[in-house]
Amino acid sequence: MTTLNRPGTPDGHVCGIDTAMEVIGGKWKVLILWALHEHPHRRFGELRRLLPGITEKVLASHLREMEADGVVHRVSYDEVPPRVEYSLTEDGKRLNAALEPLAVWGRERKTPVR
């Protein structure tokens, strides 16, 4: 997934956060990263069961985008029936580690009183 160039930025990104958000943007991508971290080398159906509420179409689309972004690795085995497994690349593992402080913040955060 490529972000369109913004005026005044040669590569289309304003900062590192902008670049990271391009890779993890979307409702499900961070949860896919979590699932593959907690359960490495998973098949499509297994990932879908780990993420209740995600549709096949969205999961397939996000996995393709994440593979293109270099954070997910896809291995297709020459078997009948066909078997495909997904795992995190080293870059995907680094991204997951970078998101860990955000996860800690989320677990520790109390619902604000309004």
Side-chain angles (χ1 to χ4, degrees):
M1 179 177 207
T2 304
T3 300
L4 298 174
N5 282 341
R6 294 190 176 100
T9 59
D11 69 351
H13 296 106
V14 176
C15 66
I17 296 291
D18 189 23
T19 304
M21 291 305 296
E22 181 179 320
V23 175
I24 63 170
K27 178 178 178 180
W28 295 100
K29 287 185 179 180
V30 173
L31 295 175
I32 293 168
L33 282 169
W34 167 84
L36 287 172
H37 172 74
E38 294 289 317
H39 309 277
H41 305 284
R42 291 293 143 185
R43 296 175 73 172
F44 185 89
E46 293 170 320
L47 281 174
R48 186 146 185 248
R49 283 188 290 279
L50 289 169
L51 302 166
I54 194 169
T55 65
E56 285 186 26
K57 180 180 177 181
V58 169
L59 179 57
S61 171
H62 281 351
L63 286 169
R64 276 192 304 274
E65 290 172 8
M66 294 169 79
E67 183 182 9
D69 287 332
V71 295
V72 168
H73 181 69
R74 179 184 188 270
V75 177
S76 181
Y77 295 92
D78 190 21
E79 299 175 354
V80 176
R83 178 170 60 113
V84 176
E85 287 184 352
Y86 297 91
S87 60
L88 293 178
T89 63
E90 287 305 313
D91 211 22
K93 291 174 185 176
R94 286 180 45 235
L95 177 56
N96 230 12
L99 291 169
E100 181 57 29
L102 184 61
V104 170
W105 178 85
R107 284 190 297 269
E108 294 174 350
R109 183 171 189 266
K110 297 191 186 290
T111 304
V113 178
R114 295 182 191 248

